[in-house]
Amino acid sequence: MHKSFGHVEVLKGIDLTVAPREVMCIVGPSGSGKSTFLRCINHLERIDAGRLSVNGHLVGYREKGGRLHELRDSEVAAQRREIGMVFQRFNLFPHMTALENVVEAPVQVKGVSKAEARERGAALLERVGLADRMHNYPNQLSGGQQQRVAIARALAMEPMLMLFDEPTSALDPELVGEVLDVMRGLAADGMTMVVVTHEMGFAREVGDTLVFMDDGVVVEAGDPKQVLTDPQHERTRAFLSKVL
Amino acid sequence: MDPDTSTTPAPPEQIRAVPVRHPGRWIAAAVIAVLAAMFVHMLVTNPVFQWDFMVENMFSDAVLRGARTTLIMTVLAMVIGILLGIVLAVMRLSANPEVSGAAWVYIWFFRAIPRIVLLFFVASLGALYARYEFGFPFDQQLMDLFGFQGDWRLFGFDGNEIFKGFVAGLIGLALSEAAYMAEIVRAGIQSVDPGQAEAAHALGMSRGKTMRRIVLPQAMRVIIPPTGNETIAMLKDTALLVAVPVTTELNFQLRAIGTRTFQVIPMAVASILWYLALASLLMVGQYFLERRFSRGFGNRETRQQRAARRARDVGSTH
């Protein structure tokens, strides 16, 4: 797939496949197109060429009679229910408590009853270790706690794919661990995940595939241990020597 | 450093410095006290104020009814203005250029027209058409074209009946207010971090739900203070209803007593006091609204947190 902003082509032909239960980590210098690629997967950005499908369905389009038709907003919204997303800047709803953040989408989008959604939401917050913070507003939580609420909020929609856009980049170093622990747990439970990250340790330990992107192309992809210890390309080697 | 307590020096002495003197404050206080005394002296000694007469007349039935009309007009004009303003703001931010353009033209027109001019015009609409009817556009022209008789109208009303008094005033003020509110709401919506809408979309929420549940509640924090200003401005602008005219309104009633009895000053002062009281009332309402929509932004504890703290406090006393 390809993607341009105006005349600038930011993704110059990305061809990747993520298998169910696979954890794919994407690394690379900033401006390489990692986040843009992730945002294309749930149609926050539209692609300009190629095909991108999730679970066998094209994202944002329908193919009929040999032509692509754009999906309506409601159809795009329906597709996004299947895909959870966690943002670098958390993007929690500041006017709602942690529990209300988690409960919002199941009630408003899926029509789950409030009582049931609260019960499930409380269980999810407990799972990310925030049972005692349920009634706090986001601004009363630390960055790590906010990001864990954001993960619980995405999980509440029971997605089959989770996208993480640099989930620990906005955190103080000492808070990174608690978020990675939650993500490690998710991976162990068999969630399919695409993670844009700078945490090489996490990529090595949890990732099934490591993708190194630079300047809008995939330079190298493969087993994380292989790529990290014995990179095949000069660009990968140069990048890794700076971050490791 | 050895943290041995026996060798720790005594804590340093508390600072008892001589504070900076502020002679300017004493001078200012003296000047203001003298000016205030002069003002009170004028109020008490000038017989034109006629305080007894004012108190006697400022709470007459007609005046109380006038205050009620003024308040109802303020609230109704603001409610319609806010609702229409939200619609216009959403239209203005629409990706559809026709819809956005139409909202722009509305705002351009109604912000440019002085309210008193608009009120005169609405009150004269009965002279533009004696009867206003709603139905299929160009029905008579089309009927003529195809050689039929008659028209295709659903309902109508008499222009001179509708465009007068309270209703004419309400239409003029509400339409004008909508233009200002549209700009306030637009600024509020644009003040919300775009990441909020993105997060809502990523959760599968539709555009409408995202606007209603996520963006507008956060925009309210920015929208409410200027809306409070607008409400107080609207309260004052009800005095412009003399242009329609609406004779049941507060200022008209007070002035009528003044001119009838030749006691203009007491009734003008009564008018000032009435508007002061009503505006203060509206400010109290604004305070509570602002508190409601600042959830998650201050450091106030939530109801559940307060309950938990109380439970802890009670537990610790035993």
Side-chain angles (χ1 to χ4, degrees):
Chain A
M1 50 151 288
H2 296 249
K3 163 77 191 166
S4 306
F5 289 119
H7 294 298
V8 185
E9 195 174 28
V10 286
L11 297 178
K12 304 167 182 169
I14 304 288
D15 189 357
L16 288 172
T17 308
V18 185
R21 307 174 70 84
E22 180 180 338
V23 177
M24 176 185 280
C25 293
I26 304 177
V27 300
S30 49
S32 59
K34 322 179 289 285
S35 290
T36 306
F37 171 64
L38 203 67
R39 291 162 58 82
C40 287
I41 298 178
N42 69 352
H43 209 52
L44 285 177
E45 307 286 352
R46 68 159 67 202
I47 63 175
D48 298 318
R51 297 284 187 275
L52 196 161
S53 52
V54 172
N55 205 19
H57 298 289
L58 283 185
V59 172
Y61 300 94
R62 181 189 302 110
E63 200 153 23
K64 212 166 78 181
R67 289 203 58 185
L68 282 186
H69 299 256
E70 282 185 18
L71 292 185
R72 295 166 183 286
D73 286 341
S74 58
E75 294 168 313
V76 173
Q79 283 189 334
R80 285 179 178 145
R81 280 172 220 174
E82 313 271 284
I83 306 169
M85 181 145 184
V86 175
F87 299 85
Q88 182 179 351
R89 303 272 352 156
F90 327 137
N91 292 350
L92 288 181
F93 306 135
H95 58 305
M96 298 180 182
T97 62
L99 183 60
E100 286 166 350
N101 263 280
V102 178
V103 164
E104 178 69 10
V107 171
Q108 293 296 325
V109 177
K110 277 185 162 176
V112 177
S113 80
K114 277 203 178 135
E116 193 189 329
R118 289 180 76 88
E119 200 174 307
R120 280 186 32 83
L124 278 169
L125 284 172
E126 198 176 333
R127 179 167 160 197
V128 299
L130 290 171
D132 55 336
R133 296 287 179 175
M134 261 189 267
H135 301 300
N136 285 78
Y137 283 101
N139 75 342
Q140 298 166 324
L141 300 173
S142 73
Q145 290 170 334
Q146 288 190 52
Q147 194 60 296
R148 285 186 281 155
V149 173
I151 293 173
R153 178 176 72 173
L155 290 176
M157 289 298 283
E158 301 179 308
M160 46 176 210
L161 168 65
M162 285 283 283
L163 308 175
F164 292 85
D165 187 3
E166 302 197 21
T168 56
S169 297
L171 297 177
D172 291 342
E174 53 181 346
L175 302 177
V176 168
E178 59 189 69
V179 172
L180 292 182
D181 282 344
V182 169
M183 291 168 63
R184 211 168 276 134
L186 266 181
D189 291 346
M191 175 62 77
T192 312
M193 295 159 63
V194 180
V195 185
V196 170
T197 186
H198 293 298
E199 297 293 330
M200 297 301 158
F202 177 84
R204 179 202 303 266
E205 181 197 338
V206 182
D208 298 308
T209 320
L210 182 70
V211 174
F212 174 67
M213 269 177 78
D214 188 27
D215 201 22
V217 293
V218 173
V219 176
E220 195 164 345
D223 178 63
K225 293 172 191 73
Q226 171 85 46
V227 174
L228 287 172
T229 50
D230 182 23
Q232 301 299 303
H233 286 74
E234 190 50 47
R235 275 299 296 131
T236 320
R237 227 168 291 154
F239 175 75
L240 290 177
S241 71
K242 279 181 208 145
V243 297
L244 284 182
Chain B
M1 288 275 273
D2 192 352
D4 186 355
T5 48
S6 61
T7 60
T8 310
E13 193 188 342
Q14 282 267 310
I15 292 178
R16 288 204 190 79
V18 180
V20 175
R21 305 291 176 199
H22 297 283
R25 291 183 186 173
W26 292 101
I27 297 169
V31 171
I32 289 167
V34 169
L35 287 175
M38 286 166 71
F39 183 69
V40 171
H41 180 255
M42 174 198 74
L43 291 182
V44 174
T45 55
N46 192 326
V48 179
F49 279 114
Q50 296 275 8
W51 295 109
D52 294 347
F53 176 85
M54 185 194 86
V55 171
E56 218 168 276
N57 285 277
M58 73 182 289
F59 299 109
S60 73
D61 283 352
V63 172
L64 289 177
R65 275 199 303 276
R68 197 182 61 182
T69 306
T70 286
L71 265 185
I72 292 174
M73 179 67 90
T74 304
V75 170
L76 283 183
M78 283 310 295
V79 168
I80 298 173
I82 289 168
L83 292 179
L84 197 53
I86 292 174
V87 173
L88 283 165
V90 173
M91 283 172 70
R92 187 84 188 83
L93 294 169
S94 161
N96 181 332
E98 280 74 26
V99 168
S100 167
W104 185 86
V105 169
Y106 180 99
I107 295 165
W108 168 72
F109 181 83
F110 281 97
R111 276 209 304 185
I113 310 302
R115 282 193 176 158
I116 195 159
V117 174
L118 191 64
L119 288 171
F120 268 123
F121 184 72
V122 173
S124 320
L125 281 176
L128 187 60
Y129 287 105
R131 219 181 136 65
Y132 287 80
E133 291 184 324
F134 296 85
F136 197 79
F138 296 108
D139 56 342
Q140 278 174 343
Q141 287 82 346
L142 286 170
M143 291 279 190
D144 285 348
L145 192 64
F146 293 108
F148 292 109
Q149 292 289 314
D151 55 26
W152 194 357
R153 304 284 161 93
L154 295 172
F155 66 94
F157 57 82
D158 190 329
N160 288 308
E161 282 298 310
I162 293 290
F163 296 120
K164 67 172 191 189
F166 189 91
V167 176
L170 180 60
I171 292 172
L173 290 177
L175 290 185
S176 165
E177 186 56 41
Y180 292 96
M181 283 310 304
E183 289 295 275
I184 291 172
V185 173
R186 181 170 70 99
I189 290 174
Q190 286 179 327
S191 76
V192 178
D193 174 14
Q196 291 290 309
E198 248 172 32
H201 288 151
L203 286 165
M205 291 174 80
S206 66
R207 278 166 190 265
K209 278 233 166 84
T210 301
M211 184 54 77
R212 275 199 314 280
R213 301 278 315 171
I214 307 301
V215 176
L216 275 182
Q218 293 180 58
M220 289 305 274
R221 219 165 48 87
V222 174
I223 291 172
I224 285 177
T227 304
N229 266 352
E230 287 296 309
T231 309
I232 288 168
M234 179 61 77
L235 173 76
K236 296 185 293 183
D237 282 357
T238 55
L240 297 174
L241 291 172
V242 69
V244 176
V246 179
T247 53
T248 52
E249 156 277 322
L250 179 65
N251 187 50
F252 193 99
Q253 289 295 332
L254 288 163
R255 226 162 39 108
I257 299 173
T259 41
R260 197 173 61 230
T261 57
F262 302 107
Q263 301 286 3
V264 176
I265 285 287
M267 286 298 101
V269 173
S271 215
I272 289 171
L273 294 178
W274 261 109
Y275 283 109
L276 260 179
L278 293 179
S280 309
L281 192 73
L282 294 176
M283 284 163 72
V284 173
Q286 181 182 349
Y287 168 78
F288 283 106
L289 270 179
E290 277 185 23
R291 219 175 56 159
R292 168 85 171 76
F293 283 101
S294 67
R295 271 176 313 166
F297 287 94
N299 275 321
R300 283 189 312 121
E301 52 186 2
T302 63
R303 208 179 313 150
Q304 286 92 343
Q305 285 167 1
R306 194 158 49 239
R309 181 173 54 79
R310 291 219 176 107
R312 267 202 311 277
D313 291 350
V314 169
S316 63
T317 56
H318 291 295

